[in-house]
Each structure stands twice: as C-alpha cells, then as structure tokens.
Amino acid sequence: MMRARVPLLLLLGILFLASLSVSFGIVHREHQQSQEESDSRGTNNPFYFNSDRFHTLFRNEYGHLRVLQRFDQRSKQIQNLENYRLVEFKSKPNTLLLPHHADADFLLVVLNGRALLTLVNPDGRDSYILEQGHAQKIPAGTIFFLVNPNDNENLRIIKIATPINNPHRFQDFFLSSTEAQQSYLQGFSKNVLEASFDSEFKEINRVLFGEEGQQQQGEESQQEGVIVELEREQIRELIKHAKSSSRRSLSSQDEPFNLRNRKPIYSNKFGRWYEITPEKNPQLRDLDLFISSVDMKEGGLLLPHYNSKAIVILVINEGEANIELVGQREQQQNKLQEEQEESWEVQRYRAELSEDDVFIIPATYPVAINATSNLNFFAFGINAENNQRNFLAGEKDNVIGEIPTEVLDVTFPASGEKVVKLVKKQSDSHFVDAQPEQ
Ligand SMILES: *[C@@H]1O[C@H](CO)[C@@H](O)[C@H](O)[C@H]1NC(C)=O
C-alpha cells in the first residue's frame, strides 16, 4: 500500500480532523481549551458582533435606524467585507421613514412585520407591500420611503449596503429638514434656489424648510425626526396605489421577491432552510448575494459545513443558539528555531447568539449551529455566485463521503472502511438532533 501523502490530501485530512475534533468534542491542545473558555461569551471572538455593536444613526419614539460597526475594523480575517455595511431599521405601527436616498446600493429584507416601500424615479414611482421574507434591491441614489402600515405590529428591516463613493461609508440624503438633520436642498445658495424654483427665498424657506412663520403656524413647524407618524387615512390612500408583491407571477425583474414562497432547499423535523441564489434572481445576481432564512427547532443542530466561496453575514432574528466556527490561526513561533516555517493551528470560535446578534462566517471556515431554543436566523451571502455548501457530516451533500475508501485509508488512522462506516452513520441530513441518545 502506498503511504505517501500528497499535500492536497494532507490538507483535506487537516480539514476533516478539524471538523471531527469539533463535532466530537475532542480538544487537541490545552491552549485551544483555554482559548475557548475565555471566549465562551464570544467577547473576544472577532466574528461575533453583539447587538450593541450597532451604532444608532437616528432614534425617536417612532423607531430607529442603526448601522453595525465596520466588519474590517473588527478583524483582519474579514478585510474583504470592507465595502459592506449592515443596517437595521425598526419602526412602530402607522409611521413613515421620510423620503431620502443614499450613496450606496441596498438589498432590503423584511424580517418582521409589513412594509409599504415606495421607490421614486424621474419617470414615476413603484410602491410595493412587502411581507416577512420579502427582499428588494434599492439602487444607489434612488429616493425611497418606507411606511409601517400595520396597526399593531412593529416593522423590522435589515439592509446590506454597498457604498459607492467610499469603501465603508455612505450617507443618507434627506429632502426634509427635521430636528435631526437638514434638507440637502438647504445646501444650495439663495440665488440658486430662487432661480431654480422661480420663487422668492422667503417663500421657499417657508414651504420647504419651515423656517419662517414657525411660531404662528404650528402645522408648519419642523418634524421631530426622520421617522414620523401617519394618519390611517393617509396610509390607506398610499396602499391603494401599491402593488402587492405577494402575487406569485412576478412580471418584472425589478419587483420584490419572496424568500419564503419557494420550497425550502433543506427541510426535516429539525429545521427548514429557505434560500435564493444569484442564479435564481436578477437582483441578487446584480449584487452577487444570496439570501437565506432558516428556522430551527430547539434541540436541532445544523451540521458542520462550509461555504466554498461566500462570506456569510448571519443575523439572529428570533431565539438563541450556540455557534462554533473553526478557523486556523498562526502559531506563536519560537524565535530560537532556525527554520522560519509558517505554522497554523486549529482554532474554535464559539459564541452564544441571541436576538439582533450578528455573526460572520468566512468562506471555507467550517461552522455548526446548535439551536438552544426555537430559532430563526437570516443570512446574506457575499460573493455568492457559484457558491457551494459542503457538508462534513450527514447523509446528503457530504463531501467527505465522496472521498474514495483507498484515500481515506491513508488519510485517517483507522482503515478506510471504518472511516466510511463512521461517516455514513448519521442518517439525517443538514439538520440533526443536537442531543442524540446513544
Ligand atoms: C446543544 O446545546 C444543548 C444545550 O446547551 C446541549 O445540551 C447539547 O449538548 C448541545 N449539542 C451540541 C451538539 O453541541
């Protein structure tokens, strides 16, 4: 028998050992154990963004707009997320986020509640009613506004932003002047405004900026902020002109699409995984994103797997979970050693996730998720086109099961047959019981 090991096989072996050591709880090194202990809350974990890492852009009694800390500031291992930002918007029933545009492309997804989204263009506007799981691209520079038309349900939206002018910064340009910010129209000089609107500056000020006669006429006073209350009457009128995106036949490529009305790609009694990839949707192809929404039952485990090329931004929507991500980090080298070899050791990154938390799964890093309560999470996959999800256990989509026995023979200490038996033992796929009775 040939015992020579080709470097590629060695690599595969390391990857496999990494995944096995995690799923079977074997810890190879003292060091790794202590690292895990210090990280049990995930505070030192560079892939974990506790919900308090969102910075508030705007907040009032009707809702808030928040942006997550820069990914690339948190860890060198995710520098390629430099040009992506995550934005969260929440609003109370019967409210409006005032019209604005931004120097970023957005993909907007409704996580909870219902939204009336209107995109305004020079030749008209499109209004859509979006339900939970609906997604819509908002191209940079498009003026849009968002209504929460429900009477008693809060609206929660998550947006991935790709800034246009700057690698990691983007700005919102609001038409209105409020206590929170100025209308960008106010940036123009008196002369330009007067000539453009063919009106007196005083009049322009009074109509657009509410700066004159504010004391006398209460109704023209400034808004308290960019999220305002709307009368039910006004909402009814706006809804009348909206297209419902719940219709199945989506005629236009530009219309919202529903992540939830397709069949799940994986489904069993422990979980359901909904996904739309760039191959299936032109808006996602444009942005090179995939989106997933995953439900898991308490006590379910999402089997160890990795994404071949997509970097995943995971947002916990409801429930709690423990996540284990496996990477490798450079080992501290003994300076006395003559040979300056690079040496890497397997590193486990753990975190306890709860609502509003964000977790980054770098491409090719194996990951497993244990649902410690009923769980729903949402995910954006960056660099998604032709991404492949390779499972490391379970019956289906298991890449290790595709390695020939002869090669397994020399890859692991046990015989190839024994390895195959072990690898094939798990009869479920994708989602399994997190606490099997032995
Ligand atoms: C999942 O979490 C539960 C609760 O903490 C624990 O009892 C169980 O052993 C975990 N399972 C795995 C596979 O990590």
Side-chain angles (χ1 to χ4, degrees), residues 301 322 324 370-372 433-435:
L301 177 76
N322 291 334
E324 292 185 2
N370 181 359
T372 50
D433 191 343
Q435 249 182 324

Side-chain angles (χ1 to χ4, degrees), residues 185 187-199 201 204:
L185 292 175
F188 286 110
S189 63
K190 177 170 176 269
N191 287 347
V192 167
L193 287 174
E194 283 190 336
S196 303
F197 293 114
D198 193 17
S199 305
F201 189 58
I204 295 168

Side-chain angles (χ1 to χ4, degrees), residues 253-381:
Q253 300 203 331
D254 301 326
E255 294 195 355
F257 49 100
N258 186 355
L259 185 50
R260 287 278 184 156
N261 73 6
R262 291 168 195 247
K263 265 183 33 192
I265 56 166
Y266 317 131
S267 173
N268 65 23
K269 64 178 171 179
F270 298 108
R272 266 185 320 229
W273 188 305
Y274 299 90
E275 183 162 89
I276 307 184
T277 55
E279 292 78 14
K280 296 261 163 68
N281 180 280
Q283 293 179 47
L284 293 178
R285 195 176 315 135
D286 224 36
L287 298 165
D288 200 7
L289 292 176
F290 73 67
I291 53 174
S292 310
S293 175
V294 179
D295 295 320
M296 285 177 69
K297 283 264 159 61
E298 176 175 352
L301 177 76
L302 171 60
L303 285 173
H305 68 277
Y306 63 90
N307 287 287
S308 64
K309 62 186 281 277
I311 307 173
V312 171
I313 301 173
L314 189 147
V315 183
I316 302 292
N317 189 30
E318 274 168 32
E320 287 171 4
N322 291 334
I323 191 165
E324 292 185 2
L325 174 77
V326 177
Q328 305 203 37
R329 60 170 213 176
E330 211 163 347
Q331 211 172 355
Q332 252 65 334
Q333 281 289 318
N334 191 342
K335 281 273 162 70
L336 296 175
Q337 267 179 300
E338 291 251 314
E339 296 264 310
Q340 284 264 337
E341 268 182 65
E342 271 191 38
S343 158
W344 296 81
E345 70 179 337
V346 168
Q347 173 81 24
R348 180 192 308 144
Y349 300 95
R350 250 191 112 245
E352 292 169 18
L353 305 176
S354 57
E355 211 173 299
D356 288 7
D357 285 353
V358 175
F359 197 92
I360 309 302
I361 304 165
T364 76
Y365 283 40
V367 66
I369 297 176
N370 181 359
T372 50
S373 77
N374 285 343
L375 177 71
N376 170 254
F377 66 82
F378 178 83
F380 289 107

Side-chain angles (χ1 to χ4, degrees), residues 265-268 303-305 389-402 423-424 426-432:
I265 56 166
Y266 317 131
S267 173
N268 65 23
L303 285 173
H305 68 277
R389 198 170 288 111
N390 292 345
F391 280 84
L392 301 168
E395 202 216 318
K396 292 183 202 146
D397 303 326
N398 183 343
V399 282
I400 295 169
E402 298 300 325
V423 169
K424 298 250 155 105
Q426 175 59 262
S427 56
D428 284 323
S429 304
H430 315 121
F431 303 104
V432 302

